[in-house]
Amino acid sequence: KPQPCYYSFPLLLFSLSESYRIFLSTNSYFSRTLFCALDLHLGGAPEGPAGTGKTETTKDLAKAVAKQCVVFNCSDGLDYLALGKFFKGLASCGAWSCFDEFNRIDLEVLSVVAQQILTIQKAIASGAEKFVFEGTELNIDPTCAVFITMNPGYAGRSELPDNLKALFRTVAMMVSTFCFLHVPNFSREHLTLYSP
């Protein structure tokens, strides 16, 4: 029988107001799976077809726990040096990152990125206050996290190397049957209910 995951997360104390969303995921399994991944010192990897709300749901989850979430759109022009600088800032400030379409990055770069992410995850798991990242000693905020979204099977997408797959907990996202669009300050007839 699977055991429930209890992940305690230090919250910042300030008010979160209700926000309007273009996409609202009703799947609580997404949140539970990603929090269990964080409890295991792993990242989250939502994958599925375009338009299933992978990025939006990750951003909503970050907002629910009062964490800044930086969305980074990946391309095949990225190199490990640019991503290394990004990871240095991420680990130091404790923000979350969502690398959108992560599997568009070249395979050679992904192998190096796997080692960079592993270094951060090992520092968090060990409970260290400081760690050495690519020759630089940094303070680490253990609440930082890396999430990646992927559209598998699309042209120009590479398969993730095994050492990188091991660092993330995969969550499958599917096209929802119904989606409710809520547009503020519009009359009732402008609210659209549709089925794809």
Side-chain angles (χ1 to χ4, degrees):
K1 182 176 178 180
Q3 295 296 315
C5 175
Y6 299 103
Y7 179 67
S8 63
F9 195 85
L11 290 175
L12 300 175
L13 299 175
F14 62 88
S15 173
L16 292 175
S17 62
E18 180 184 344
S19 66
Y20 297 103
R21 298 176 179 101
I22 293 174
F23 181 88
L24 178 61
S25 172
T26 58
N27 191 349
S28 63
Y29 292 111
F30 181 90
S31 302
R32 282 188 241 158
T33 302
L34 291 186
F35 276 126
C36 285
L38 293 174
D39 189 43
L40 296 170
H41 308 293
L42 298 173
E47 66 176 37
T52 54
K54 300 177 292 289
T55 305
E56 286 298 317
T57 309
T58 303
K59 287 168 41 180
D60 276 348
L61 184 63
K63 184 176 180 181
V65 294
K67 291 300 289 182
Q68 178 186 13
C69 183
V70 181
V71 177
F72 191 90
N73 293 312
C74 298
S75 70
D76 53 2
L78 282 174
D79 63 354
Y80 72 94
L81 296 172
L83 287 169
K85 290 178 185 176
F86 191 89
F87 289 134
K88 284 180 184 179
L90 183 74
S92 297
C93 73
W96 286 8
S97 65
C98 180
F99 290 94
D100 204 15
E101 299 187 33
F102 190 71
N103 54 343
R104 289 179 62 189
I105 301 173
D106 288 335
L107 193 58
E108 298 81 23
V109 176
L110 288 176
S111 294
V112 178
V113 167
Q115 293 305 310
Q116 293 172 331
I117 294 172
L118 180 63
T119 303
I120 294 171
Q121 289 180 349
K122 279 186 174 179
I124 293 170
S126 71
E129 292 182 11
K130 294 181 182 242
F131 76 117
V132 177
F133 185 82
E134 295 189 340
T136 307
E137 187 177 56
L138 299 170
N139 292 328
I140 186 162
D141 184 332
T143 63
C144 71
V146 178
F147 298 91
I148 60 174
T149 67
M150 297 175 291
N151 298 331
Y154 284 38
R157 308 304 196 267
S158 56
E159 182 71 23
L160 295 184
D162 289 338
N163 63 339
L164 189 57
K165 282 183 188 176
L167 303 178
F168 293 94
R169 178 78 164 90
T170 304
V171 183
M173 301 286 283
M174 298 176 5
V175 177
S176 60
T177 307
F178 292 98
C179 182
F180 183 74
L181 293 181
H182 179 75
V183 183
N185 303 325
F186 272 54
S187 65
R188 276 195 118 79
E189 37 236 40
H190 289 97
L191 297 179
T192 306
L193 181 65
Y194 72 92
S195 177

